[in-house]
Amino acid sequence: MASEGRRCIMHLDLDAFFAAVEQRDKPSLRGRPVIVGGLGGRGVVSTASYEARRFGARSAMPTIEARRRCPPGTAFLSGRFEAYRASSAVVMGILRGRSTLVEQVSVDEAYVDLTPPEGPLGWDDADLERWCRDLLAEITEATGGLTASVGLAPSKMMAKLASEMDKPAGVTVVRPGEELEVLHGLSVRAIPGIGPATGARLHGFGVDTVADLARMSEPDLVSIFGTAQGGALHRLSRAEDDRPVVVEREAKSISHEETFETDVVDRGHLESELGRMAQGLARRLESAGVFARTITVKARQHDFTTQTRSGTLPFATGDAGIILREGRRLLGSVDVTSGLRLLGLGVAGLTAHAQEELLLETAYPAAGRVELPDAVGGAGLDEAAGADGEAPRPDAPGEETEPTTEQEHRPLAGRPPPGWRTGQDVRHDEHGAGWVWGSGRGVVTVRFEGPRTAPGPVRTFADDDPALHPADPPEWRDDPPGEG
């Protein structure tokens, strides 16, 4: 049996979400290629609009490669996460109005269990597609024009795959009994957890499609990939996925990464960054009311080779000093002589209790050193975002001027630089609301427009103009919450 045949699971994915929000709020960018992400030489693309995708731009691509592929006039913007969260909250509210079983997995996607009695409909309903179309129309109206795609299937895996089959604004239904027909024709990379390395390894065994994978025996897969991964691949290749929709998802880990503008070889500089990250992680642990047992350091070399080092403590901690001490020790096993382009620090093994830590603090005074166990992990793939540095052009927002010698400060690529960010919401005392078109060499260029205006004029000011202020994201609704 491929899955629990009576379950009706929907996966909803907002289409090109970050870029779509930018085009909604910036009418001059509608119909044009838009890239949202890190704008520096080390930045990566978070989202590419469908107009940009026609030129080969895609998520996770280095921004410099997207610049090479996309035509003049493409807008390269830094992210506005307050704006994205506001639109996401509207969508998730609509979903929760349709079902009590909604699992939000990111800012732009969620699973919804539609199965009665908790859910509103099941496979016996004749108008599943119409119900989905009505939902998508409600989302588009409530978000000022954003679109989403949905997939319906008897399992979470098949629902997610279905939601990707007819983008944008598509509805794909995979009914009970149809899962293998749909799944087996797909690339083996469609299976969750199969990335480039695993895919290449499977290709060496003549496995390129899910059907090829399904023909392999479980003992063979276990002998190649181990018990956990081999068994999971065997089940998923047969569409066996009984994972429930979980209303509240507990965080499994918390991490922070920085991508440097230039490769860093100074271990003192790297340890200083670890200290800042450890403080941030401790604050996030405290805010979540949890403690962590496992500390992980991630290091990416100049040639993109990525190493991770992990250590599991004999206690759970939320103390920044202990997180930093372990992070430094783990970093000590990494060769940094050729320079690191990225450094990350993370915690996992989260728990609500830390009694063992109290006992250890009694045995080891805070000022003393604690010898901690070590373990070695695998490789990661993430890249942080960055700052820009080229001259503005009147047809291409997102191009900033090179800093002068006095301005140079060798910033981290993952940290917003001082001053104005391309795409940032602003308000001018005389001209009203707008957004930063570009900045550099002592000036900032602003386009004055918003989601409910026509494309607006562009004006340039001194970057320290006292009449120009950062602003909240613009309101796209005719009757904002709490008004009317």
Side-chain angles (χ1 to χ4, degrees):
M1 182 176 177
S3 58
E4 293 183 40
R6 302 315 302 169
R7 291 200 307 163
C8 186
I9 307 299
M10 179 178 75
H11 180 263
L12 180 140
D13 190 13
L14 289 161
D15 299 320
F17 180 47
F18 293 177
V21 171
E22 298 300 338
Q23 290 176 319
R24 178 197 66 193
D25 292 351
K26 301 173 171 63
S28 62
L29 300 185
R30 294 170 191 168
R32 294 174 56 181
V34 174
I35 301 291
V36 179
L39 303 185
R42 299 290 178 93
V44 296
V45 176
S46 294
T47 305
S49 70
Y50 285 99
E51 296 87 351
R53 294 180 192 188
R54 288 199 288 266
F55 298 98
R58 55 176 174 76
S59 298
M61 171 183 285
T63 301
I64 193 169
E65 176 64 21
R67 289 187 187 276
R68 282 195 288 262
R69 296 188 180 209
C70 291
T74 298
F76 287 84
L77 308 174
S78 57
R80 298 183 305 129
F81 295 98
E82 286 187 43
Y84 310 148
R85 282 191 289 266
S87 294
S88 174
V90 171
V91 174
M92 299 306 158
I94 291 173
L95 295 181
R96 293 184 179 105
R98 299 288 186 112
S99 173
T100 59
L101 298 177
V102 177
E103 178 181 346
Q104 182 176 353
V105 294
S106 70
V107 72
D108 61 350
E109 63 175 317
Y111 292 101
V112 185
D113 193 333
L114 303 178
T115 314
E118 290 84 0
L121 74 166
W123 294 114
D124 295 332
D125 288 84
D127 293 328
L128 281 174
E129 288 88 347
R130 178 181 296 177
W131 186 92
C132 292
R133 292 289 179 192
D134 289 344
L135 171 66
L136 297 186
E138 181 181 356
I139 287 172
T140 297
E141 181 178 2
T143 59
L146 305 185
T147 66
S149 298
V150 298
L152 266 65
S155 69
K156 292 172 79 171
M157 179 184 75
M158 290 306 304
K160 181 172 176 63
L161 291 175
S163 72
E164 299 169 351
M165 292 178 178
D166 188 23
K167 279 183 161 290
V171 174
T172 302
V173 178
V174 179
R175 294 181 178 274
E178 298 176 351
E179 300 100 314
L180 297 184
E181 179 183 354
V182 173
L183 180 63
H184 280 182
L186 301 178
S187 164
V188 72
R189 291 284 303 278
I191 296 291
I194 297 185
T198 302
R201 197 170 180 191
L202 286 168
H203 176 74
F205 292 96
V207 176
D208 294 307
T209 68
V210 180
D212 297 332
L213 182 63
R215 284 191 285 269
M216 294 188 70
S217 69
E218 184 170 7
D220 285 343
L221 287 171
V222 168
S223 69
I224 298 170
F225 297 104
T227 301
Q229 187 179 14
L233 292 177
H234 183 264
R235 291 190 299 274
L236 294 176
S237 70
R238 290 159 173 76
E240 297 172 2
D241 176 20
D242 59 0
R243 293 173 298 156
V245 172
V246 180
V247 177
E248 293 185 3
R249 302 173 75 246
E250 292 185 1
K252 296 181 180 180
S253 63
I254 302 173
S255 62
H256 185 83
E257 295 178 358
E258 292 289 2
T259 300
F260 304 111
E261 283 290 336
T262 57
D263 297 335
V264 176
V265 299
D266 183 350
R267 192 172 290 274
H269 183 177
L270 296 170
E271 291 188 353
S272 176
E273 285 303 314
L274 285 180
R276 188 182 58 79
M277 294 180 195
Q279 292 289 342
L281 292 175
R283 287 193 296 269
R284 292 172 66 183
L285 288 170
E286 181 180 11
S287 176
V290 294
F291 304 89
R293 289 196 61 195
T294 300
I295 316 297
T296 300
V297 165
K298 176 179 175 181
R300 179 165 294 150
Q301 305 284 348
H302 69 287
D303 61 356
F304 282 85
T305 300
T306 304
Q307 300 170 290
T308 61
R309 298 288 186 267
S310 297
T312 299
L313 310 177
F315 55 87
T317 184
D319 183 85
I322 294 176
I323 296 171
L324 174 58
R325 185 163 54 210
E326 175 69 345
R328 284 174 172 168
R329 190 183 65 81
L330 295 168
L331 181 63
S333 65
V334 176
D335 182 5
V336 302
T337 55
S338 59
L340 297 188
R341 63 179 286 120
L342 177 146
L343 180 66
L345 183 66
V347 293
L350 306 184
T351 175
H353 305 285
Q355 288 89 344
E356 294 90 347
E357 179 187 2
L358 298 176
L359 294 175
L360 194 74
E361 286 174 348
T362 302
Y364 296 93
R369 290 182 55 83
V370 180
E371 294 301 324
L372 301 173
D374 187 23
V376 177
L381 297 173
D382 296 333
E383 181 81 36
D388 196 10
E390 292 183 61
R393 299 198 306 255
D395 63 341
E399 304 290 337
E400 300 178 9
T401 59
E402 293 283 354
T404 64
T405 304
E406 293 78 21
Q407 293 171 321
E408 271 185 332
H409 54 281
R410 300 171 66 87
L412 291 169
R415 207 178 290 168
W420 304 101
R421 294 179 295 106
T422 306
Q424 179 181 356
D425 295 307
V426 296
R427 176 170 291 277
H428 192 274
D429 292 343
E430 178 183 353
H431 302 289
W435 57 279
V436 174
W437 184 265
S439 66
R441 293 182 178 169
V443 300
V444 55
T445 301
V446 177
R447 183 180 279 275
F448 290 97
E449 62 183 8
R452 294 183 288 172
T453 75
V458 175
R459 302 181 186 278
T460 299
F461 309 92
D463 62 10
D464 60 353
D465 188 328
L468 187 65
H469 318 281
D472 292 331
E475 181 54 61
W476 73 88
R477 291 161 283 199
D478 292 332
D479 295 308
E483 298 183 17

mmCIF file of all heavy atoms in Angstrom, residues 118-161:
data_model
loop_
_atom_site.group_PDB
_atom_site.id
_atom_site.type_symbol
_atom_site.label_atom_id
_atom_site.label_comp_id
_atom_site.label_asym_id
_atom_site.label_seq_id
_atom_site.Cartn_x
_atom_site.Cartn_y
_atom_site.Cartn_z
ATOM 1 N N GLU A 118 -11.733 16.339 11.020
ATOM 2 C CA GLU A 118 -11.069 17.602 11.343
ATOM 3 C C GLU A 118 -10.982 18.508 10.124
ATOM 4 O O GLU A 118 -11.091 19.726 10.222
ATOM 5 C CB GLU A 118 -9.664 17.344 11.897
ATOM 6 C CG GLU A 118 -9.625 16.713 13.275
ATOM 7 C CD GLU A 118 -9.762 15.203 13.213
ATOM 8 O OE1 GLU A 118 -9.885 14.656 12.095
ATOM 9 O OE2 GLU A 118 -9.764 14.573 14.282
ATOM 10 N N GLY A 119 -10.783 17.917 8.955
ATOM 11 C CA GLY A 119 -10.660 18.695 7.740
ATOM 12 C C GLY A 119 -11.986 18.889 7.038
ATOM 13 O O GLY A 119 -12.983 18.228 7.355
ATOM 14 N N PRO A 120 -12.018 19.768 6.018
ATOM 15 C CA PRO A 120 -13.279 20.142 5.387
ATOM 16 C C PRO A 120 -13.766 19.205 4.283
ATOM 17 O O PRO A 120 -14.920 19.267 3.884
ATOM 18 C CB PRO A 120 -12.979 21.526 4.809
ATOM 19 C CG PRO A 120 -11.517 21.474 4.499
ATOM 20 C CD PRO A 120 -10.901 20.619 5.572
ATOM 21 N N LEU A 121 -12.902 18.357 3.743
ATOM 22 C CA LEU A 121 -13.314 17.515 2.623
ATOM 23 C C LEU A 121 -12.365 16.344 2.498
ATOM 24 O O LEU A 121 -11.313 16.292 3.124
ATOM 25 C CB LEU A 121 -13.370 18.300 1.327
ATOM 26 C CG LEU A 121 -12.068 18.711 0.619
ATOM 27 C CD1 LEU A 121 -12.368 19.169 -0.792
ATOM 28 C CD2 LEU A 121 -11.356 19.840 1.352
ATOM 29 N N GLY A 122 -12.757 15.378 1.685
ATOM 30 C CA GLY A 122 -11.944 14.197 1.453
ATOM 31 C C GLY A 122 -12.068 13.754 0.016
ATOM 32 O O GLY A 122 -12.606 14.471 -0.845
ATOM 33 N N TRP A 123 -11.580 12.553 -0.261
ATOM 34 C CA TRP A 123 -11.538 12.074 -1.644
ATOM 35 C C TRP A 123 -12.916 11.826 -2.226
ATOM 36 O O TRP A 123 -13.073 11.747 -3.453
ATOM 37 C CB TRP A 123 -10.685 10.810 -1.723
ATOM 38 C CG TRP A 123 -9.245 11.067 -1.416
ATOM 39 C CD1 TRP A 123 -8.538 10.607 -0.356
ATOM 40 C CD2 TRP A 123 -8.336 11.860 -2.176
ATOM 41 N NE1 TRP A 123 -7.245 11.062 -0.394
ATOM 42 C CE2 TRP A 123 -7.086 11.832 -1.510
ATOM 43 C CE3 TRP A 123 -8.447 12.594 -3.353
ATOM 44 C CZ2 TRP A 123 -5.982 12.516 -1.981
ATOM 45 C CZ3 TRP A 123 -7.340 13.276 -3.826
ATOM 46 C CH2 TRP A 123 -6.126 13.231 -3.149
ATOM 47 N N ASP A 124 -13.928 11.690 -1.384
ATOM 48 C CA ASP A 124 -15.279 11.449 -1.899
ATOM 49 C C ASP A 124 -15.934 12.717 -2.429
ATOM 50 O O ASP A 124 -16.964 12.645 -3.106
ATOM 51 C CB ASP A 124 -16.163 10.845 -0.792
ATOM 52 C CG ASP A 124 -15.684 9.460 -0.374
ATOM 53 O OD1 ASP A 124 -15.084 8.775 -1.226
ATOM 54 O OD2 ASP A 124 -15.892 9.072 0.790
ATOM 55 N N ASP A 125 -15.357 13.885 -2.127
ATOM 56 C CA ASP A 125 -15.934 15.128 -2.625
ATOM 57 C C ASP A 125 -15.663 15.267 -4.125
ATOM 58 O O ASP A 125 -14.532 15.084 -4.591
ATOM 59 C CB ASP A 125 -15.338 16.317 -1.879
ATOM 60 C CG ASP A 125 -15.840 16.393 -0.443
ATOM 61 O OD1 ASP A 125 -15.259 15.696 0.417
ATOM 62 O OD2 ASP A 125 -16.797 17.132 -0.205
ATOM 63 N N ALA A 126 -16.695 15.641 -4.848
ATOM 64 C CA ALA A 126 -16.589 15.680 -6.303
ATOM 65 C C ALA A 126 -15.838 16.907 -6.810
ATOM 66 O O ALA A 126 -15.303 16.905 -7.918
ATOM 67 C CB ALA A 126 -17.984 15.638 -6.922
ATOM 68 N N ASP A 127 -15.818 17.964 -6.025
ATOM 69 C CA ASP A 127 -15.273 19.233 -6.506
ATOM 70 C C ASP A 127 -13.979 19.619 -5.798
ATOM 71 O O ASP A 127 -13.803 20.756 -5.359
ATOM 72 C CB ASP A 127 -16.312 20.347 -6.333
ATOM 73 C CG ASP A 127 -17.519 20.149 -7.227
ATOM 74 O OD1 ASP A 127 -17.336 19.597 -8.314
ATOM 75 O OD2 ASP A 127 -18.626 20.548 -6.828
ATOM 76 N N LEU A 128 -13.045 18.676 -5.680
ATOM 77 C CA LEU A 128 -11.766 18.980 -5.040
ATOM 78 C C LEU A 128 -11.034 20.111 -5.761
ATOM 79 O O LEU A 128 -10.525 21.041 -5.129
ATOM 80 C CB LEU A 128 -10.879 17.733 -5.025
ATOM 81 C CG LEU A 128 -11.168 16.665 -3.962
ATOM 82 C CD1 LEU A 128 -10.291 15.454 -4.203
ATOM 83 C CD2 LEU A 128 -10.954 17.229 -2.575
ATOM 84 N N GLU A 129 -10.956 20.024 -7.076
ATOM 85 C CA GLU A 129 -10.234 21.035 -7.836
ATOM 86 C C GLU A 129 -10.887 22.402 -7.677
ATOM 87 O O GLU A 129 -10.188 23.415 -7.518
ATOM 88 C CB GLU A 129 -10.167 20.646 -9.309
ATOM 89 C CG GLU A 129 -9.220 19.477 -9.595
ATOM 90 C CD GLU A 129 -9.911 18.127 -9.469
ATOM 91 O OE1 GLU A 129 -11.051 18.080 -8.932
ATOM 92 O OE2 GLU A 129 -9.311 17.126 -9.890
ATOM 93 N N ARG A 130 -12.222 22.453 -7.708
ATOM 94 C CA ARG A 130 -12.909 23.734 -7.563
ATOM 95 C C ARG A 130 -12.653 24.318 -6.179
ATOM 96 O O ARG A 130 -12.438 25.529 -6.050
ATOM 97 C CB ARG A 130 -14.408 23.575 -7.796
ATOM 98 C CG ARG A 130 -15.186 24.882 -7.616
ATOM 99 C CD ARG A 130 -16.670 24.693 -7.827
ATOM 100 N NE ARG A 130 -16.960 24.284 -9.198
ATOM 101 C CZ ARG A 130 -18.199 24.003 -9.632
ATOM 102 N NH1 ARG A 130 -19.220 24.068 -8.807
ATOM 103 N NH2 ARG A 130 -18.385 23.659 -10.891
ATOM 104 N N TRP A 131 -12.658 23.469 -5.155
ATOM 105 C CA TRP A 131 -12.379 23.934 -3.789
ATOM 106 C C TRP A 131 -10.989 24.565 -3.739
ATOM 107 O O TRP A 131 -10.798 25.629 -3.145
ATOM 108 C CB TRP A 131 -12.487 22.764 -2.816
ATOM 109 C CG TRP A 131 -12.373 23.135 -1.372
ATOM 110 C CD1 TRP A 131 -13.385 23.434 -0.513
ATOM 111 C CD2 TRP A 131 -11.157 23.235 -0.606
ATOM 112 N NE1 TRP A 131 -12.889 23.718 0.746
ATOM 113 C CE2 TRP A 131 -11.523 23.612 0.713
ATOM 114 C CE3 TRP A 131 -9.812 23.053 -0.900
ATOM 115 C CZ2 TRP A 131 -10.585 23.794 1.725
ATOM 116 C CZ3 TRP A 131 -8.874 23.249 0.108
ATOM 117 C CH2 TRP A 131 -9.262 23.610 1.397
ATOM 118 N N CYS A 132 -10.022 23.914 -4.378
ATOM 119 C CA CYS A 132 -8.657 24.447 -4.392
ATOM 120 C C CYS A 132 -8.582 25.748 -5.176
ATOM 121 O O CYS A 132 -7.896 26.695 -4.760
ATOM 122 C CB CYS A 132 -7.703 23.416 -4.989
ATOM 123 S SG CYS A 132 -7.468 21.935 -3.985
ATOM 124 N N ARG A 133 -9.274 25.835 -6.297
ATOM 125 C CA ARG A 133 -9.262 27.066 -7.086
ATOM 126 C C ARG A 133 -9.864 28.221 -6.296
ATOM 127 O O ARG A 133 -9.377 29.352 -6.351
ATOM 128 C CB ARG A 133 -10.044 26.857 -8.381
ATOM 129 C CG ARG A 133 -9.413 25.898 -9.362
ATOM 130 C CD ARG A 133 -8.170 26.466 -9.996
ATOM 131 N NE ARG A 133 -7.558 25.509 -10.928
ATOM 132 C CZ ARG A 133 -6.354 25.655 -11.448
ATOM 133 N NH1 ARG A 133 -5.623 26.713 -11.126
ATOM 134 N NH2 ARG A 133 -5.866 24.754 -12.270
ATOM 135 N N ASP A 134 -10.937 27.930 -5.560
ATOM 136 C CA ASP A 134 -11.540 28.974 -4.732
ATOM 137 C C ASP A 134 -10.566 29.442 -3.652
ATOM 138 O O ASP A 134 -10.486 30.639 -3.348
ATOM 139 C CB ASP A 134 -12.828 28.459 -4.084
ATOM 140 C CG ASP A 134 -13.956 28.279 -5.091
ATOM 141 O OD1 ASP A 134 -13.847 28.816 -6.205
ATOM 142 O OD2 ASP A 134 -14.930 27.575 -4.756
ATOM 143 N N LEU A 135 -9.835 28.489 -3.072
ATOM 144 C CA LEU A 135 -8.837 28.840 -2.053
ATOM 145 C C LEU A 135 -7.755 29.738 -2.646
ATOM 146 O O LEU A 135 -7.387 30.765 -2.053
ATOM 147 C CB LEU A 135 -8.205 27.562 -1.484
ATOM 148 C CG LEU A 135 -6.997 27.754 -0.560
ATOM 149 C CD1 LEU A 135 -7.408 28.463 0.722
ATOM 150 C CD2 LEU A 135 -6.337 26.414 -0.249
ATOM 151 N N LEU A 136 -7.242 29.379 -3.809
ATOM 152 C CA LEU A 136 -6.185 30.174 -4.433
ATOM 153 C C LEU A 136 -6.686 31.561 -4.799
ATOM 154 O O LEU A 136 -5.943 32.549 -4.671
ATOM 155 C CB LEU A 136 -5.642 29.458 -5.669
ATOM 156 C CG LEU A 136 -4.963 28.110 -5.430
ATOM 157 C CD1 LEU A 136 -4.344 27.585 -6.721
ATOM 158 C CD2 LEU A 136 -3.904 28.204 -4.341
ATOM 159 N N ALA A 137 -7.946 31.655 -5.248
ATOM 160 C CA ALA A 137 -8.507 32.970 -5.570
ATOM 161 C C ALA A 137 -8.634 33.821 -4.313
ATOM 162 O O ALA A 137 -8.363 35.039 -4.352
ATOM 163 C CB ALA A 137 -9.880 32.794 -6.226
ATOM 164 N N GLU A 138 -9.014 33.209 -3.190
ATOM 165 C CA GLU A 138 -9.107 33.955 -1.930
ATOM 166 C C GLU A 138 -7.736 34.463 -1.502
ATOM 167 O O GLU A 138 -7.595 35.611 -1.048
ATOM 168 C CB GLU A 138 -9.713 33.064 -0.842
ATOM 169 C CG GLU A 138 -9.875 33.775 0.497
ATOM 170 C CD GLU A 138 -10.455 32.884 1.573
ATOM 171 O OE1 GLU A 138 -10.814 31.723 1.273
ATOM 172 O OE2 GLU A 138 -10.547 33.352 2.735
ATOM 173 N N ILE A 139 -6.704 33.640 -1.652
ATOM 174 C CA ILE A 139 -5.349 34.048 -1.287
ATOM 175 C C ILE A 139 -4.879 35.202 -2.167
ATOM 176 O O ILE A 139 -4.307 36.188 -1.684
ATOM 177 C CB ILE A 139 -4.392 32.840 -1.393
ATOM 178 C CG1 ILE A 139 -4.656 31.864 -0.240
ATOM 179 C CG2 ILE A 139 -2.933 33.297 -1.397
ATOM 180 C CD1 ILE A 139 -3.907 30.551 -0.367
ATOM 181 N N THR A 140 -5.119 35.113 -3.465
ATOM 182 C CA THR A 140 -4.704 36.178 -4.377
ATOM 183 C C THR A 140 -5.376 37.499 -4.024
ATOM 184 O O THR A 140 -4.730 38.557 -4.001
ATOM 185 C CB THR A 140 -5.018 35.784 -5.828
ATOM 186 O OG1 THR A 140 -4.251 34.622 -6.171
ATOM 187 C CG2 THR A 140 -4.679 36.905 -6.784
ATOM 188 N N GLU A 141 -6.664 37.449 -3.723
ATOM 189 C CA GLU A 141 -7.381 38.671 -3.372
ATOM 190 C C GLU A 141 -6.886 39.244 -2.048
ATOM 191 O O GLU A 141 -6.693 40.459 -1.922
ATOM 192 C CB GLU A 141 -8.880 38.392 -3.287
ATOM 193 C CG GLU A 141 -9.707 39.625 -2.956
ATOM 194 C CD GLU A 141 -11.193 39.354 -2.931
ATOM 195 O OE1 GLU A 141 -11.589 38.179 -3.144
ATOM 196 O OE2 GLU A 141 -11.971 40.299 -2.693
ATOM 197 N N ALA A 142 -6.649 38.384 -1.065
ATOM 198 C CA ALA A 142 -6.271 38.852 0.270
ATOM 199 C C ALA A 142 -4.841 39.362 0.334
ATOM 200 O O ALA A 142 -4.501 40.143 1.232
ATOM 201 C CB ALA A 142 -6.460 37.730 1.295
ATOM 202 N N THR A 143 -3.985 38.936 -0.592
ATOM 203 C CA THR A 143 -2.573 39.320 -0.549
ATOM 204 C C THR A 143 -2.213 40.361 -1.595
ATOM 205 O O THR A 143 -1.032 40.654 -1.794
ATOM 206 C CB THR A 143 -1.669 38.093 -0.739
ATOM 207 O OG1 THR A 143 -1.969 37.481 -2.006
ATOM 208 C CG2 THR A 143 -1.863 37.087 0.385
ATOM 209 N N GLY A 144 -3.193 40.913 -2.271
ATOM 210 C CA GLY A 144 -2.891 41.938 -3.253
ATOM 211 C C GLY A 144 -2.316 41.415 -4.543
ATOM 212 O O GLY A 144 -1.589 42.138 -5.237
ATOM 213 N N GLY A 145 -2.602 40.149 -4.881
ATOM 214 C CA GLY A 145 -2.178 39.626 -6.173
ATOM 215 C C GLY A 145 -1.194 38.486 -6.140
ATOM 216 O O GLY A 145 -0.795 37.986 -7.201
ATOM 217 N N LEU A 146 -0.758 38.042 -4.969
ATOM 218 C CA LEU A 146 0.169 36.913 -4.902
ATOM 219 C C LEU A 146 -0.541 35.630 -5.327
ATOM 220 O O LEU A 146 -1.744 35.473 -5.129
ATOM 221 C CB LEU A 146 0.728 36.751 -3.496
ATOM 222 C CG LEU A 146 1.418 37.957 -2.874
ATOM 223 C CD1 LEU A 146 2.009 37.587 -1.525
ATOM 224 C CD2 LEU A 146 2.494 38.515 -3.794
ATOM 225 N N THR A 147 0.210 34.709 -5.905
ATOM 226 C CA THR A 147 -0.360 33.433 -6.313
ATOM 227 C C THR A 147 0.322 32.297 -5.567
ATOM 228 O O THR A 147 1.428 32.437 -5.046
ATOM 229 C CB THR A 147 -0.222 33.205 -7.825
ATOM 230 O OG1 THR A 147 1.176 33.076 -8.165
ATOM 231 C CG2 THR A 147 -0.836 34.347 -8.606
ATOM 232 N N ALA A 148 -0.364 31.162 -5.543
ATOM 233 C CA ALA A 148 0.166 29.965 -4.907
ATOM 234 C C ALA A 148 -0.200 28.765 -5.758
ATOM 235 O O ALA A 148 -1.119 28.825 -6.592
ATOM 236 C CB ALA A 148 -0.390 29.799 -3.496
ATOM 237 N N SER A 149 0.517 27.677 -5.560
ATOM 238 C CA SER A 149 0.216 26.408 -6.217
ATOM 239 C C SER A 149 -0.021 25.358 -5.141
ATOM 240 O O SER A 149 0.609 25.404 -4.078
ATOM 241 C CB SER A 149 1.366 25.976 -7.128
ATOM 242 O OG SER A 149 1.571 26.924 -8.159
ATOM 243 N N VAL A 150 -0.929 24.426 -5.416
ATOM 244 C CA VAL A 150 -1.239 23.395 -4.436
ATOM 245 C C VAL A 150 -1.181 22.022 -5.080
ATOM 246 O O VAL A 150 -1.411 21.859 -6.282
ATOM 247 C CB VAL A 150 -2.629 23.602 -3.784
ATOM 248 C CG1 VAL A 150 -2.676 24.911 -3.018
ATOM 249 C CG2 VAL A 150 -3.743 23.540 -4.813
ATOM 250 N N GLY A 151 -0.872 21.049 -4.245
ATOM 251 C CA GLY A 151 -0.943 19.653 -4.631
ATOM 252 C C GLY A 151 -1.742 18.892 -3.599
ATOM 253 O O GLY A 151 -1.583 19.123 -2.398
ATOM 254 N N LEU A 152 -2.626 18.008 -4.048
ATOM 255 C CA LEU A 152 -3.401 17.145 -3.165
ATOM 256 C C LEU A 152 -2.988 15.706 -3.418
ATOM 257 O O LEU A 152 -2.849 15.270 -4.578
ATOM 258 C CB LEU A 152 -4.903 17.289 -3.421
ATOM 259 C CG LEU A 152 -5.681 18.272 -2.554
ATOM 260 C CD1 LEU A 152 -5.201 19.686 -2.822
ATOM 261 C CD2 LEU A 152 -7.181 18.157 -2.810
ATOM 262 N N ALA A 153 -2.784 14.950 -2.347
ATOM 263 C CA ALA A 153 -2.358 13.561 -2.465
ATOM 264 C C ALA A 153 -2.626 12.851 -1.139
ATOM 265 O O ALA A 153 -2.922 13.502 -0.132
ATOM 266 C CB ALA A 153 -0.882 13.481 -2.837
ATOM 267 N N PRO A 154 -2.485 11.533 -1.110
ATOM 268 C CA PRO A 154 -2.692 10.803 0.150
ATOM 269 C C PRO A 154 -1.533 10.910 1.138
ATOM 270 O O PRO A 154 -1.642 10.391 2.247
ATOM 271 C CB PRO A 154 -2.874 9.347 -0.312
ATOM 272 C CG PRO A 154 -3.206 9.419 -1.758
ATOM 273 C CD PRO A 154 -2.443 10.616 -2.263
ATOM 274 N N SER A 155 -0.422 11.547 0.760
ATOM 275 C CA SER A 155 0.724 11.652 1.666
ATOM 276 C C SER A 155 1.395 13.002 1.495
ATOM 277 O O SER A 155 1.203 13.697 0.488
ATOM 278 C CB SER A 155 1.739 10.540 1.395
ATOM 279 O OG SER A 155 2.375 10.735 0.141
ATOM 280 N N LYS A 156 2.226 13.377 2.479
ATOM 281 C CA LYS A 156 2.917 14.658 2.428
ATOM 282 C C LYS A 156 3.916 14.707 1.272
ATOM 283 O O LYS A 156 3.999 15.718 0.565
ATOM 284 C CB LYS A 156 3.619 14.919 3.766
ATOM 285 C CG LYS A 156 2.663 15.165 4.916
ATOM 286 C CD LYS A 156 3.363 15.232 6.263
ATOM 287 C CE LYS A 156 4.019 16.568 6.501
ATOM 288 N NZ LYS A 156 4.519 16.681 7.900
ATOM 289 N N MET A 157 4.655 13.620 1.069
ATOM 290 C CA MET A 157 5.647 13.635 0.006
ATOM 291 C C MET A 157 4.985 13.839 -1.354
ATOM 292 O O MET A 157 5.410 14.681 -2.155
ATOM 293 C CB MET A 157 6.452 12.334 -0.016
ATOM 294 C CG MET A 157 7.488 12.300 -1.144
ATOM 295 S SD MET A 157 8.389 10.737 -1.290
ATOM 296 C CE MET A 157 7.128 9.690 -2.030
ATOM 297 N N MET A 158 3.926 13.081 -1.620
ATOM 298 C CA MET A 158 3.270 13.190 -2.914
ATOM 299 C C MET A 158 2.570 14.532 -3.070
ATOM 300 O O MET A 158 2.518 15.089 -4.170
ATOM 301 C CB MET A 158 2.285 12.039 -3.090
ATOM 302 C CG MET A 158 2.942 10.672 -3.266
ATOM 303 S SD MET A 158 4.169 10.607 -4.606
ATOM 304 C CE MET A 158 3.205 11.148 -6.022
ATOM 305 N N ALA A 159 2.027 15.085 -1.981
ATOM 306 C CA ALA A 159 1.382 16.395 -2.059
ATOM 307 C C ALA A 159 2.391 17.472 -2.420
ATOM 308 O O ALA A 159 2.113 18.367 -3.238
ATOM 309 C CB ALA A 159 0.690 16.723 -0.742
ATOM 310 N N LYS A 160 3.588 17.407 -1.824
ATOM 311 C CA LYS A 160 4.621 18.406 -2.139
ATOM 312 C C LYS A 160 5.080 18.278 -3.585
ATOM 313 O O LYS A 160 5.235 19.284 -4.290
ATOM 314 C CB LYS A 160 5.807 18.257 -1.188
ATOM 315 C CG LYS A 160 6.914 19.290 -1.446
ATOM 316 C CD LYS A 160 7.983 19.245 -0.387
ATOM 317 C CE LYS A 160 9.128 20.202 -0.708
ATOM 318 N NZ LYS A 160 8.683 21.620 -0.743
ATOM 319 N N LEU A 161 5.300 17.053 -4.042
ATOM 320 C CA LEU A 161 5.698 16.862 -5.434
ATOM 321 C C LEU A 161 4.609 17.369 -6.375
ATOM 322 O O LEU A 161 4.890 18.005 -7.398
ATOM 323 C CB LEU A 161 5.980 15.381 -5.698
ATOM 324 C CG LEU A 161 7.221 14.804 -5.014
ATOM 325 C CD1 LEU A 161 7.307 13.304 -5.269
ATOM 326 C CD2 LEU A 161 8.487 15.489 -5.508
#
